[in-house]
Amino acid sequence: MPIPASSCLSMLLAALASVSMFAACGPAQPGVSSPGLVETLASKSDLVASPEPWDRKSLGGLGASSTGAGTLTQVVYRATDQRSETPGSAQSSRTVAASLDATRLSGPAPLAVQFDATGTTSSLAGQHPFHQVRYSFNFGDERGQTWAISGLPKNVQSGGPLAAHVFDHPGTYQVRVRAADLAGGYSERSVSVEVLDPNVVYAGTKTICVSTVGNFSDCPDGASRVVMVPNSAALNGRRVLLRRGETFGSIEIGHGSQNVQVGAFGTGAKPRVSRVLVGSIRPSSAAFPQDISVMDLHILLNFEQFGTMSRLLLYRNTFDVPTGDFLAAQISLASALAYIVQHHKLAPDQYFQPRELFVVENQLRGSTTLPHINMAGEGSRFVIMGNDMSTAQQHTVRLWRMNKGFIAHNALRGRSSDGTRHALKIHSGGLGAYDDNYGISGSTWASRQIVIANNRLGDATDNNSFTGGAAPENNGPDSRQGLEDVVLENNVFHRGPNTNTEFILMGRRMSSRGNTRADGGVPNINQLGNSYKLLPPDWVGPFFTK
């Protein structure tokens, strides 16, 4: 059958996969009035604690403007110091100093925010803050909700120094982290997040209701009412609501689009759409998409984000098992960024690494024939949370590169076409340092600072021998891929008939703690005998276990 032009990138990736096992061929932030630290990212990207509770600092070097789409300006928000003398056995401590950064402080609901305590410091001898300090986050959003997969409350997260939350309702929320050290002391930081009412942000004709049969019951007052999905240009700066129970074609969110929400209105089943495409495979300018939310849809084929973007929320969508089309992945996030940079006219330093990507509470069932992968992608400040994914020709989730990643409360089941794949596979592009500016770090950066927590990994029907891995992709010539500061904690592994290894951890400073097997056995979490031949010795260990 004819293949739509919009699937060309998927075809390219799939073709590459058959040969090389899928070797991967800032803007200004509107609507934020709270004080923050504006960093024009150039030669560094690590988050460094500010000497004052709030600070403004330019790292320079890119000449980025603080206004206008497509610049590389990145906003990082530092928390205020909330060290206190809470009654109890723990005491505020001079040996640990908590840090808390937020990817954003304001925006319309649903608002996805990653919280980062990796800047926490410790003066205890031999204590590594990323691995041995314990972090307890409270998002100030107690509504009694729990994660469907793990059964844990959504309002708190404990363990590693990264966490994330989606604020569904307008209001002001006080988010707090407590960092507790090995000596029993603690330090706290907090930050305030303002969630805006989308009915106000997208008042009047900034909201477009779409019903093919002209049924606009429950459409917000004053909204535009149309019978066809608007073209991509008309979506910019708008909320588009599709009538539940109806079927639509493709949703295309064009290059340069900002502040777009696509969702549902009315009652009944989720609106059915054939696919959702964001951005362009041939970007004409550095005005990459930002602040895009796609939620509550039933997607028949795939979601594809071309190239790069910032601030994506893919939320509560259901994906069909695709048929009759050749896809690289049901969810593809910048998987072909390196190819796009190499083959199109923008200079590499006009691109930034994909960042602030949130994939939350989606349901995917793939096929051992199509697509190749449930989800594939790369990026920084990358959150995969509360999803249920299973069955793929290759890996269920494959991440080419990940910086500051949080993977939690998911069910990732690993049945594949040949029984040699993973439910979760994370590797990297090399041993290089990460930088938001693609012109500096390219695609050769190592994956860093990743927390994998409270997931259900594997299933009784899985046919693979390895359930997951955070390691170089293989032991051969592609194995010079670094990973560092990875925490694998409190996951429950479910064995299939062929399972012999639950998880492979290979890199430097890797932690495994609190992981269990559903059948009561001891999970086999290992380093394959340190056999990655091209990995330098200083990229192997230490391994922290408990």
Side-chain angles (χ1 to χ4, degrees), residues 246-327:
E246 297 187 16
T247 300
F248 304 85
S250 295
I251 307 294
E252 298 188 13
I253 301 172
H255 185 65
S257 296
Q258 299 184 26
N259 306 318
V260 177
Q261 285 193 357
V262 180
F265 78 100
T267 58
K270 294 176 181 178
R272 295 165 61 90
V273 302
S274 61
R275 57 167 28 107
V276 180
L277 308 175
V278 178
S280 172
I281 193 173
R282 298 178 180 86
S284 57
S285 74
F288 295 101
Q290 71 165 351
D291 262 324
I292 310 295
S293 297
V294 177
M295 67 196 93
D296 299 320
L297 304 182
H298 187 150
I299 300 174
L300 305 182
L301 292 175
N302 67 319
F303 175 93
E304 193 150 24
Q305 171 220 326
F306 296 109
T308 190
M309 69 170 299
S310 61
R311 293 185 172 171
L312 168 70
L313 174 59
L314 191 58
Y315 193 31
R316 298 184 307 231
N317 300 289
T318 301
F319 287 76
D320 262 5
V321 176
T323 58
D325 206 350
F326 199 50
L327 302 174

Side-chain angles (χ1 to χ4, degrees), residues 223-538:
S224 298
R225 303 179 178 205
V226 299
V227 296
M228 295 179 61
V229 174
N231 62 37
S232 60
L235 302 187
N236 189 37
R238 289 185 170 86
R239 176 176 62 170
V240 178
L241 302 178
L242 308 181
R243 181 78 194 181
R244 288 181 177 270
E246 297 187 16
T247 300
F248 304 85
S250 295
I251 307 294
E252 298 188 13
I253 301 172
H255 185 65
S257 296
Q258 299 184 26
N259 306 318
V260 177
Q261 285 193 357
V262 180
F265 78 100
T267 58
K270 294 176 181 178
R272 295 165 61 90
V273 302
S274 61
R275 57 167 28 107
V276 180
L277 308 175
V278 178
S280 172
I281 193 173
R282 298 178 180 86
S284 57
S285 74
F288 295 101
Q290 71 165 351
D291 262 324
I292 310 295
S293 297
V294 177
M295 67 196 93
D296 299 320
L297 304 182
H298 187 150
I299 300 174
L300 305 182
L301 292 175
N302 67 319
F303 175 93
E304 193 150 24
Q305 171 220 326
F306 296 109
T308 190
M309 69 170 299
S310 61
R311 293 185 172 171
L312 168 70
L313 174 59
L314 191 58
Y315 193 31
R316 298 184 307 231
N317 300 289
T318 301
F319 287 76
D320 262 5
V321 176
T323 58
D325 206 350
F326 199 50
L327 302 174
Q330 289 169 284
I331 298 176
S332 180
L333 304 181
S335 296
L337 177 58
Y339 174 87
I340 292 173
V341 174
Q342 292 167 11
H343 291 83
H344 296 288
K345 66 181 184 179
L346 294 182
D349 64 2
Q350 291 188 273
Y351 292 85
F352 56 84
Q353 307 288 358
R355 61 194 184 211
E356 294 182 51
L357 309 176
F358 295 80
V359 180
V360 182
E361 295 188 90
N362 301 282
Q363 294 184 329
L364 293 85
R365 292 292 182 274
S367 160
T368 55
T369 304
L370 291 173
H372 286 295
I373 302 175
N374 279 181
M375 175 180 169
E378 63 181 82
S380 179
R381 301 144 208 150
F382 194 165
V383 173
I384 303 170
M385 196 163 58
N387 304 282
D388 191 345
M389 305 186 188
S390 72
T391 310
Q393 186 191 51
Q394 294 199 16
H395 308 288
T396 305
V397 174
R398 185 167 189 176
L399 304 172
W400 317 113
R401 285 161 287 273
M402 192 180 216
N403 180 67
K404 293 190 180 295
F406 183 64
I407 304 171
H409 307 289
N410 304 283
L412 305 179
R413 315 161 200 265
R415 187 170 183 83
S416 69
S417 61
D418 58 12
T420 64
R421 312 297 171 173
H422 302 316
L424 172 63
K425 182 167 189 174
I426 309 170
H427 51 94
S428 80
L431 305 177
Y434 173 83
D435 195 282
D436 272 353
N437 186 336
Y438 189 94
I440 294 173
S441 59
S443 61
T444 61
W445 45 276
S447 293
R448 291 179 170 88
Q449 296 190 337
I450 300 169
V451 174
I452 306 165
N454 306 114
N455 300 285
R456 171 181 176 166
L457 298 175
D459 191 86
T461 65
D462 287 0
N463 60 342
N464 298 303
S465 56
F466 293 176
T467 304
E473 57 187 306
N474 54 49
N475 286 339
D478 297 326
S479 65
R480 194 175 174 84
Q481 298 174 344
L483 295 92
E484 62 182 0
D485 291 322
V486 176
V487 172
L488 178 76
E489 62 182 352
N490 303 323
N491 300 284
V492 179
F493 290 92
H494 293 251
R495 286 200 156 201
N498 302 329
T499 307
N500 58 53
T501 301
E502 269 67 38
F503 210 86
I504 305 165
L505 279 175
M506 172 53 66
R508 59 186 182 189
R509 298 185 304 275
M510 316 287 274
S511 288
S512 172
R513 62 197 186 211
N515 300 292
T516 60
R517 270 172 48 180
D519 62 5
V522 177
N524 180 15
I525 298 171
N526 66 42
Q527 296 82 43
L528 284 184
N530 296 347
S531 59
Y532 290 90
K533 299 175 178 63
L534 293 184
L535 202 59
D538 63 339

Side-chain angles (χ1 to χ4, degrees), residues 95-110:
T95 60
V96 60
S99 172
L100 181 60
D101 300 329
T103 50
R104 64 192 306 177
L105 293 181
S106 179

